[in-house]
Amino acid sequence: MDKVVQKAIASDKRWRAVYIACGLLIVALTLLMGAFLLYQGSQTFIKAHHSIWEFLFTSDWAPLDKTGLFGGKVGAAVYIVGSLETCLLALIICLPFAIGSAVYMTEISPKIGEKYFRPATEIYVSIPSVVYGWFGMTKLVPLIKNIFHPAMGGYSVLAASIVLAIMIFPTITTVSADAIKSVPMSYREGAYGLGATRWQVIGKVVLPAASGGILTGIILGLARAIGEALAVSMVIGKTRSFASNLLSPTSNLTSAIAADMGNTAQGGEYNLALWTMALLLFIISIVLIVLIHKLANGKKDK
Amino acid sequence: MEDKITIENLNLYYSDFHALHDVNMHIQKNEITAFIGPSGCGKSTLLRCLNRMNDLVEGCRIEGSVKLDGTDIYGGDLDVTVLRQRVGMVFQRPNPFPMSVYDNVAYGPKIHGVTDKQELDEIVETSLKQAAIWDDLKDRLNKSALGLSGGQQQRLCIARALAVKPEVLLMDEPTSALDPISTSKIEELALQLKKDYTIVIVTHNMQQAVRISDKTGFFLLGDLVEFGETDQLFSMPKDERTERYITGRFG
């Protein structure tokens, strides 16, 4: 065989090995991280003999912070509810704006939308979360305090939700806009041909046809919101009690982990309980991602 | 016979491109009028002028007039949604909405204000019967329309157009994406519908024009070369260009 060809084949094989190794490394890292979280996170139940029920549904939070000493309380319901309520409220606040913007930049004014609106929206994504938190702390919290005069100051579920809403806005908007754009022109023509107005076309044909993609955007946004730690912890108040209303402070999973992780004794009950919270976040993210894939495949089957 | 649609000195421009030149035509009630001609000759463009679908095309400009029962549709006396309800359209590729058969047909009446469930049921049934597809679909009204065959989808689209009780039905090469059996069903349907509607059909298929139309217009490069009785146009064309096209010696 020709020498040049032999060399090319050898180099091809070498590179193939390098790429396979890189791919495997990533897969292995992900699996390892999952396995590690699963191991660490389950110790609260295995080693410290707490029940899953206690962790998820009770709010007595008094884990012992000494290596090897168990017998405290690990009810994380305050944090779990805090995470869920801020995310859901953020979604409710964000959704009308996000879908409105997506419709605007695809249906109403595609030229301006593509030229200015989409780049502007994408810049939002790249702003570090500490900036959002800083903005929330210095502008939003005082604003809430001055408008509503809550007893505990402006640090609140509402502040956290608004900051999260701003943070997930670009994700939901751009994904929804792509979904709306991919609705075939023939659907619009069909509806216009029946004498529909622009709003009837958008509301009753385009948006329903794009609903799968919009839902994907919502789930992606939720996944970002549930995992956001810094910005939320800066404005939520971090008090370990349920919020009695939207204006009272509370805490959430990510804030608690971020605040206490470094200060707990390795292998202590407190430390293990925080690992369990991290595992819970991981599970929520996986569920959301599986949902996205289910939705995407469901669309294809049609 | 009275004019249903009168087209006078119609010129159409896509930005700088002059796509239709001085078209004059009288489309008569309860007749099938066919537009034939090679690709890009302007026949679909003219069809889309009749219900102002060209409004959706950026840079499209129209001069001259199109009158529906004597009212200029570009004059501002007729709202475009009312116009499109009176002048329905069936497209080249079947384009049912991604919803159930029932919702597809009920979409038009719903946006025009029909809310009564019983009335909607009746409209859906009569429209599907008129489109000769009721027997095929009566047990699948709640199934997705996207699961139907191409021919069924196209007849569903015809039913959807009929559900808003139009006076004119525009068909833009309605059978070009269909097999011969579905095509003949659509042609039969068109012949039945002309009793109650005025039909304008664009077709690539000259035999189709001969089979179903009363009048035929032949277009070439944006000009209406010849317009007249279908039998006469195909047997004794007046213009040499028409003769060359219909005998296949074109180009």
Side-chain angles (χ1 to χ4, degrees), chain B residues 107-166:
Chain B
Y107 178 83
K110 271 186 190 161
I111 60 171
H112 291 294
V114 179
T115 49
D116 183 55
K117 176 83 173 91
Q118 205 181 342
E119 198 181 339
L120 281 173
D121 288 350
E122 273 167 33
I123 293 174
V124 170
E125 183 173 343
T126 40
S127 305
L128 288 170
K129 275 180 178 160
Q130 273 186 301
I133 196 168
W134 171 253
D135 291 330
D136 295 22
L137 297 187
K138 65 182 174 207
D139 302 320
R140 321 166 49 171
L141 292 179
N142 295 316
K143 295 267 167 62
S144 167
L146 301 185
L148 305 178
S149 73
Q152 288 175 324
Q153 286 189 357
Q154 194 60 300
R155 278 185 288 160
L156 175 66
C157 290
I158 294 174
R160 184 176 71 185
L162 297 177
V164 295
K165 303 191 169 68

Side-chain angles (χ1 to χ4, degrees), chain B residues 191-206:
Chain B
L191 286 169
Q192 281 166 25
L193 291 174
K194 84 170 189 177
K195 289 197 294 283
D196 304 305
Y197 303 89
T198 305
I199 295 175
V200 186
I201 183 168
V202 166
T203 177
H204 258 308
N205 180 337
M206 281 183 278

Side-chain angles (χ1 to χ4, degrees), chain B residues 14-27:
Chain B
Y14 290 127
S15 298
D16 296 335
F17 177 63
H18 194 175
L20 288 174
H21 313 144
D22 257 328
V23 175
N24 286 281
M25 189 185 267
H26 299 267
I27 293 169

